[in-house]
Amino acid sequence: MSFLEINNLRVVYPNGHEALKSVSLQAEAGEIVALVGSSGAGKSTLLRCVNGLQQPVSGTIILDGEAITAMDEQQLQKYRCCIGFIWQEYNLVDRLPVLTNVLTGRLGRMQGFPSLIGYFSPAQREIAVRNLERVNLLERALQRADSLSGGEKQRVSIARAVSQDPKIILADEPVASLDPELSWHVMSDLSRVAREDGVLTLICIHQIDLAREFADRVIGIARGVVTFDGSPSELDEAALDRIYKLNRSTVTPAAAPAGDESRRSSSKAPRKS
Ligand code: ADP
């Protein structure tokens, strides 16, 4: 069994929109996976299912042997402490110092009174300091978060995510608000620390060049279906057409012979086979 197993995931929103049709994929610890596709393709919905915020109508998600799709709300809250989130808009607490923002990544790992009053032990502070150092922001540790640039804020949220000691990092358009140069640096930091820590990382991203450069694997989604799953070097024009250009009423699944439902749902990275 793979570290992450997603099988036949189908999501229908209350308004009847089928956002994911039958998504299946497997991923291993330490993989950096870019999720690409047009707006509305279903990428964020997939991330929301992995963090348990969106329940599928059918299908299963298993992470590190735990069936997320079978968890109740209390179990999900505990499970989310093991997920590092990185959002487009950073989600930092502006008025708090950078170091405190990174330390909040540890809150889910704390229990009882210390977590209520936000008391962080020296060991936790050491983790936060080390992670700020890894993204080259240690000298900003005591500054308010709102005094940082966009790129710096996103590097703080990377430090916060890895300070959680996460099983998986989910990044939803982490560089969509940044210029190309900052985007490159943020993606470089994110992929480096995730690789060093061996954390599976799923990144929704629109910039194909960055997906090619920093991901181990690219998964293309179109209209709720996986239409490409392969290494960045396999992401050629034909693959991009399958992901972006077909204005489909029906969508062709990833390199699947017509009618081959098993290929559609079993999309292990070809580079591994
Ligand atoms: P992406 O992240 O690829 O841009 P999303 O997963 O956000 O796509 O959305 C997939 C589809 O589901 C889109 O058509 C979007 O409009 C629709 N959608 C997303 N959230 C909701 C919702 N809460 N209710 C109804 N439709 C939704």
Side-chain angles (χ1 to χ4, degrees):
M1 182 180 265
S2 297
F3 188 72
L4 174 67
E5 293 263 351
I6 298 180
N7 290 306
N8 303 314
L9 205 66
R10 180 165 180 258
V11 171
V12 181
Y13 283 114
N15 64 359
H17 181 72
E18 189 182 31
L20 295 181
K21 294 197 165 70
S22 178
V23 167
S24 295
L25 58 96
Q26 295 83 34
E28 303 302 336
E31 268 192 304
I32 313 286
V33 181
L35 300 175
V36 302
S38 306
S39 290
K43 306 177 298 295
S44 302
T45 300
L46 181 58
L47 287 196
R48 281 202 296 278
C49 289
V50 176
N51 73 27
L53 282 175
Q54 178 65 49
Q55 281 297 326
V57 290
S58 57
T60 54
I61 300 177
I62 299 172
L63 182 78
D64 195 17
E66 286 191 281
I68 288 134
T69 33
M71 288 179 180
D72 61 29
E73 195 46 47
Q74 206 180 354
Q75 291 169 315
L76 280 171
Q77 275 179 18
K78 200 165 159 224
Y79 156 75
R80 286 191 197 108
C81 299
C82 309
I83 305 180
F85 293 105
I86 297 174
W87 289 273
Q88 177 179 344
E89 293 305 333
Y90 326 119
N91 281 19
L92 303 179
V93 184
D94 282 344
R95 65 189 167 76
L96 291 180
V98 165
L99 183 66
T100 312
N101 269 280
V102 176
L103 279 163
T104 61
R106 299 295 305 169
L107 277 174
R109 298 267 174 197
M110 293 159 55
Q111 280 170 357
F113 194 59
S115 75
L116 289 177
I117 61 164
Y119 169 76
F120 299 102
S121 67
Q124 286 166 329
R125 286 175 182 277
E126 203 178 309
I127 291 170
V129 163
R130 186 174 57 84
N131 285 323
L132 267 181
E133 206 169 9
R134 293 169 80 195
V135 295
N136 287 314
L137 279 178
L138 192 52
E139 74 276 13
R140 304 296 180 100
L142 301 178
Q143 275 182 229
R144 275 173 61 126
D146 56 5
S147 69
L148 302 185
S149 70
E152 289 167 338
K153 284 181 182 170
Q154 201 56 302
R155 279 151 58 207
V156 173
S157 65
I158 292 169
R160 178 181 58 188
V162 289
S163 293
Q164 271 177 263
D165 196 11
K167 286 186 177 183
I168 186 168
I169 291 175
L170 304 176
D172 200 353
E173 301 291 351
V175 296
S177 304
L178 304 176
D179 70 35
E181 195 184 337
L182 286 177
S183 298
W184 190 93
H185 286 292
V186 165
M187 282 298 290
S188 171
D189 280 338
L190 172 57
S191 56
R192 177 175 46 78
V193 295
R195 249 184 216 111
E196 283 169 2
D197 291 1
V199 186
L200 170 60
T201 301
L202 306 185
I203 309 170
C204 289
I205 188 161
H206 276 297
Q207 294 87 337
I208 290 294
D209 54 334
L210 296 177
R212 279 201 172 106
E213 184 158 359
F214 294 107
D216 300 317
R217 176 176 165 198
V218 178
I219 293 179
I221 299 180
R223 291 204 180 179
V225 170
V226 172
T227 55
F228 175 82
D229 185 348
S231 66
S233 63
E234 291 169 300
L235 193 63
D236 54 18
E237 283 306 311
L240 289 172
D241 272 2
R242 280 212 304 282
I243 300 167
Y244 288 103
K245 296 216 177 122
L246 300 179
N247 193 6
R248 309 160 188 80
S249 52
T250 53
V251 175
T252 316
D260 182 354
E261 205 58 34
S262 64
R263 181 62 183 84
R264 177 194 294 233
S265 50
S266 173
S267 46
K268 261 201 163 99
R271 71 192 176 84
K272 292 199 154 183
S273 56

